[in-house]
Amino acid sequence: MEKTLALACELIRRPSVTPEDADCQALMAEHLEAIGFQCTDMPFGEVKNLWAERSGKGAERSGKGAERGSEGPIVVFAGHTDVVPTGPESQWQSPPFEPTLRDGLLYGRGAADMKGSLAAMIVACEEFVASHPEHRGRIGFLITSDEEGPAVNGTVKVVEALVDAGKAIDWCIVGEPSSTSSLGDVVKNGRRGSLGAVLTVRGIQGHIAYPHLADNPIHRALPALDALTREVWDEGNDFFPATSFQISNINGGTGATNVIPGEVEVVFNFRFSTEVTDTELRQRTETILDAHGLDYSIDWNLSGQAFLTPSGALVEAAVESIREVAGIETELSTAGGTSDGRFIAPTGTQVLELGPVNATIHKIDECVRADDLPRLAAMYRGILEKLLLD
């Protein structure tokens, strides 16, 4: 079996449902130490994290615990070993943690998101180091088992520890499944920010037949909510669509049909571009609520800042490598949800996401084209060559 495909199968066999790692990182560390990486376990809470680093010129390369040089820029591969739950296993055509090849596709939970990418990263480094053992700069791996879960003890904590240790990441390739129809057709060079809120509007509970003795918070809230839905938050830009405001839940009432409730709860979310900040969104929202004279409280939750990696060394290396391997011109995109890139980009790192086709991620019978995995490894290897060879 082709080596990238074989390694992906080994990873899929490990049932690493978030936040479990199921020794996936140990397997990756074994491969990385064999080619001169220093591997450091960085657990936080129940979450396993792996930081691995290899220096090129002038560095010792004797495996775990060896002293390392820190000269030159660093390219980091970032990803996660955890996967989402399988859903009813009886609905899978083959067991979700038994990798199965069928009609040119590799089936298994995590095949596309993102154990296939992890295998391609490892093989890319093995081949690159074998050909260029004295490469300039450094190569790193930042791997977590907390991407599909709460994402509080994973990448964000490792990045904080790296910053505290004075380690700066120059370029980062996240292995999220970015492709839409064919491998490499889309690269994510940014993501929208995500700002959520729980709004509580208070009124006075009373009998529905005597509204003059009550104050209906639902009626109070509706004009303000209408104003929020009509607000133009920004116009977007060349990379981002306009900021979106969406209400996901409204909850009020006591369970009785003849009672005006004392409060109503509204859950909403902004997916925002780089044209506006989360601070501006909070302020403008509260200005609208205040203008409607509401008695309210609001709890904000910032899941991630918007980030953008414009044209530069990393983007150009990815575009050229995809062209060489796949013979296509890739599209730069910021569409979709959030990723762990949101924790890395604020440190000043150039970040992009490149991975397999995402059509089956999180679904029953998740799969990836088997021959895409060695091609993805070739793309990753090409990026390393363009960034780390003199």
Side-chain angles (χ1 to χ4, degrees):
M1 184 181 292
E2 192 277 328
K3 56 188 174 181
T4 317
L5 184 59
L7 180 54
C9 289
E10 286 190 68
L11 290 168
I12 292 170
R13 286 192 183 95
R14 289 160 166 77
S16 55
V17 176
T18 191
E20 295 297 324
D21 167 69
D23 290 329
C24 290
Q25 291 175 24
L27 175 62
M28 295 180 66
E30 180 182 339
H31 279 260
L32 292 172
E33 287 169 3
I35 55 173
F37 278 78
Q38 178 183 0
C39 295
T40 304
D41 294 326
M42 300 182 68
F44 292 97
E46 64 182 348
V47 175
K48 289 187 176 181
N49 303 294
L50 173 67
W51 170 255
E53 185 175 343
R54 181 192 196 278
S55 294
K57 294 180 179 179
E60 294 293 331
R61 290 186 284 276
S62 57
K64 193 169 186 177
E67 292 295 320
R68 284 297 188 273
S70 59
E71 71 284 348
I74 183 169
V75 182
V76 171
F77 290 100
H80 59 91
T81 52
D82 60 323
V83 298
V84 296
T86 64
E89 293 193 21
S90 61
Q91 296 183 18
W92 286 69
Q93 295 183 60
S94 51
F97 294 113
E98 182 55 49
T100 303
L101 285 169
R102 189 167 59 248
D103 299 325
L105 300 173
L106 171 63
Y107 287 85
R109 175 57 85 220
D113 188 15
M114 60 177 294
K115 293 181 176 181
S117 295
L118 298 180
M121 292 170 178
I122 295 287
V123 171
C125 288
E126 290 174 338
E127 294 179 348
F128 176 76
V129 169
S131 299
H132 312 286
E134 299 297 319
H135 61 84
R136 76 183 184 97
R138 294 161 292 151
I139 308 171
F141 276 73
L142 196 171
I143 308 298
T144 184
S145 66
D146 186 35
E147 198 272 348
E148 299 290 9
V152 297
N153 284 320
T155 299
V156 62
K157 289 287 182 66
V158 177
V159 170
E160 290 172 357
L162 294 176
V163 170
D164 289 343
K167 288 182 177 287
I169 298 173
D170 298 283
W171 303 300
C172 182
I173 305 161
V174 184
E176 289 293 338
S178 63
S179 303
T180 301
S181 299
S182 63
L183 180 67
D185 62 352
V186 175
V187 165
K188 302 291 178 67
N189 67 323
R191 290 280 192 167
R192 293 178 295 175
S194 177
L195 176 64
V198 178
L199 168 68
T200 301
V201 178
R202 292 175 288 269
I204 299 174
Q205 182 175 316
H207 196 293
I208 204 165
Y210 301 95
H212 59 288
L213 299 177
D215 184 5
N216 194 320
I218 297 175
H219 293 187
R220 289 275 191 184
L222 288 177
L225 297 180
D226 181 61
L228 289 170
T229 62
R230 293 175 181 273
E231 181 76 1
V232 177
W233 303 97
D234 61 47
E235 299 290 347
N237 55 37
D238 289 344
F239 288 99
F240 289 92
T243 291
S244 169
F245 169 87
Q246 293 294 319
I247 297 170
S248 60
N249 191 25
I250 299 178
N251 184 36
T254 64
T257 60
N258 61 348
V259 177
I260 294 170
E263 65 179 33
V264 62
E265 183 180 271
V266 183
V267 181
F268 61 84
N269 179 268
F270 289 98
R271 291 302 168 100
F272 61 96
S273 77
T274 51
E275 294 296 306
V276 67
T277 67
D278 66 290
T279 299
E280 292 171 2
L281 291 174
R282 297 175 201 231
Q283 292 173 343
R284 290 171 61 184
T285 298
E286 292 176 12
T287 296
I288 290 172
L289 296 175
D290 292 341
H292 285 80
L294 301 181
D295 177 11
Y296 72 92
S297 61
I298 188 165
D299 293 322
W300 293 99
N301 177 41
L302 178 65
S303 299
Q305 296 283 7
F307 71 89
L308 177 68
T309 298
S311 181
L314 180 60
V315 169
E316 292 170 5
V319 169
E320 291 176 13
S321 184
I322 292 168
R323 184 186 300 125
E324 292 169 359
V325 175
I328 61 174
E329 295 300 320
T330 193
E331 172 191 351
L332 300 178
S333 171
T334 62
T338 59
S339 77
D340 274 3
R342 70 190 189 272
F343 302 127
I344 303 169
T347 65
T349 305
Q350 294 183 34
V351 178
L352 64 76
E353 300 171 23
L354 170 59
V357 173
N358 55 30
T360 64
I361 60 174
H362 294 202
K363 291 184 176 182
I364 300 292
D365 288 335
E366 178 181 351
C367 62
V368 65
R369 287 187 56 88
D371 59 6
D372 275 353
L373 296 184
R375 295 170 68 232
L376 181 59
M379 291 176 183
Y380 290 154
R381 186 176 69 247
I383 293 173
L384 291 174
E385 291 170 350
K386 289 167 176 56
L387 295 177
L388 296 183
L389 294 185
D390 293 326

